[in-house]
Amino acid sequence: MTKPYLIAIDLDGTLLKDDKTVSHYTKNILTQAMNEGHHVVISTGRPFRGSERYYHELNLSTPIINFNGAFIHHPRQSDWGIYHSPLELDTAQNIVKTCLDFNVKNVIAEVLDDMYLHYEDEFITNSFMIEPSRMNIGNLHQSLKHNPTSILIRPHDHQVKELRALLKAQHAEVIDHRVWAAPYNIIEVVRSGLNKAVGLKRVAETLDVPQDRIIAFGDEDNDLEMIEYAGYGIAMGNAIPELKNIANGVTKTNEEDGIAHFLTDLLSLKESV
């Protein structure tokens, strides 16, 4: 048997089609890969609540990487460990103040699967998968009492570049930040030094898979470190140019089953009837 590979898959724009579903073909090929002894791991910027349905839909039995590496756990093995690396509360509150002084549309703090919104925001509440009981709306300086996993900033479009420069100037030593793709245009802030490669390295070590047998698929700038780290860092056909430039290869788009086509060739898989 071929030595097992670790297959790391981003969700949005990678595994998921534009309608946020997984195609039958891709799901079938991933199942074949697991039946052959390979490991499939979700590595996403989403919180667990936003990725849990896909974890179970693919019938995974591996750890999962959420919040771009800030939260890693094993949904089926409680004794595997929980790795949570949140921002310090003081740092988070300073960032909140910076953003509110900048007059952004909203600032949101996520503490694992709980969400805190500074302002009521129909766009956020309609876009994020969260139970009403886990959503808190009100002054973050008063409501946020725990170290947040991430801070999400919803700026006006013309503010993005200037605000990111300001965050870098004021908080560069303690935070990293990225911008979500349209239609969100949200700036996500996490603790410095965290990225998907950090989470992937931890998972690979527990599964005893060396770096040269890691295959990673992604499409956006939060996938850069993971694609660079993996032995096979593969950009989707719809990926940003910066990711394609550093990738080992480019596959078809998320609408064209890019993951399945690449794995079929590399691992000699075929769709079951």
Side-chain angles (χ1 to χ4, degrees):
M1 186 189 105
T2 304
K3 290 183 178 180
Y5 281 78
L6 171 54
I7 303 163
I9 49 177
D10 169 54
L11 290 179
D12 299 284
T14 302
L15 173 70
L16 304 184
K17 300 197 302 180
D18 293 345
D19 64 1
K20 304 305 180 185
T21 63
V22 184
S23 79
H24 173 78
Y25 178 49
T26 292
K27 191 186 307 183
N28 196 300
I29 290 300
L30 288 172
T31 298
Q32 293 304 311
M34 289 185 285
N35 288 343
E36 293 286 334
H38 304 296
H39 310 284
V40 176
V41 173
I42 290 174
S43 183
T44 178
R46 290 186 181 210
F48 181 60
R49 68 172 186 275
S51 50
E52 182 178 12
R53 61 172 283 199
Y54 302 112
Y55 183 93
H56 293 298
E57 182 179 349
L58 296 177
N59 196 27
L60 301 184
S61 58
T62 48
I64 184 169
I65 301 164
N66 292 111
F67 290 106
N68 293 319
F71 180 52
I72 313 160
H73 79 296
H74 198 310
R76 299 188 192 275
Q77 294 182 15
S78 58
D79 60 349
W80 186 84
I82 294 176
Y83 300 93
H84 183 211
S85 304
L87 292 156
E88 294 292 337
L89 184 57
D90 287 347
T91 299
Q93 292 288 15
N94 287 335
I95 292 169
V96 170
K97 183 179 186 307
T98 296
C99 295
L100 294 179
D101 288 346
F102 214 75
N103 196 31
V104 299
K105 292 180 184 178
N106 211 344
V107 186
I108 303 102
E110 295 193 275
V111 182
L112 294 178
D113 284 329
D114 290 327
M115 179 177 281
Y116 297 79
L117 291 79
H118 190 79
Y119 301 117
E120 191 166 348
D121 192 325
E122 189 173 316
F123 175 79
I124 295 296
T125 55
N126 289 341
S127 300
F128 287 69
M129 293 176 253
I130 184 167
E131 298 175 9
S133 62
R134 309 206 75 157
M135 183 177 294
N136 306 272
I137 302 173
N139 191 317
L140 284 181
H141 291 303
Q142 298 172 2
S143 63
L144 185 60
K145 304 294 185 183
H146 303 284
N147 295 343
T149 314
S150 72
I151 298 288
L152 306 178
I153 306 161
R154 192 174 172 222
H156 297 277
D157 291 347
H158 69 274
Q159 295 175 319
V160 174
K161 186 174 180 179
E162 186 178 354
L163 182 53
R164 290 194 74 185
L166 183 61
L167 290 170
K168 183 176 181 180
Q170 294 187 356
H171 308 287
E173 294 182 358
V174 290
I175 68 168
D176 287 329
H177 51 91
R178 303 185 185 274
V179 177
W180 291 9
Y184 298 104
N185 293 325
I186 284 174
I187 301 172
E188 179 184 27
V189 180
V190 296
R191 187 171 177 172
S192 178
L194 292 177
N195 54 64
K196 291 184 180 182
V198 173
L200 188 55
K201 183 175 185 292
R202 185 182 294 277
V203 171
E205 288 173 349
T206 65
L207 295 173
D208 197 27
V209 176
Q211 188 174 354
D212 63 356
R213 291 209 309 275
I214 297 175
I215 310 166
F217 296 93
D219 71 306
E220 277 290 341
D221 72 346
N222 66 335
D223 299 308
L224 285 164
E225 292 88 355
M226 177 174 75
I227 295 302
E228 195 167 35
Y229 172 76
Y232 295 84
I234 307 302
M236 304 300 291
N238 52 287
I240 59 173
E242 295 86 345
L243 196 71
K244 290 180 178 179
N245 288 340
I246 67 161
N248 299 117
V250 178
T251 188
K252 295 185 178 184
T253 71
N254 62 317
E255 286 288 311
E256 300 169 319
D257 294 295
I259 290 175
H261 284 289
F262 184 87
L263 293 177
T264 298
D265 291 339
L266 181 69
L267 304 179
S268 300
L269 301 172
K270 61 181 179 179
E271 185 177 14
S272 62
V273 178

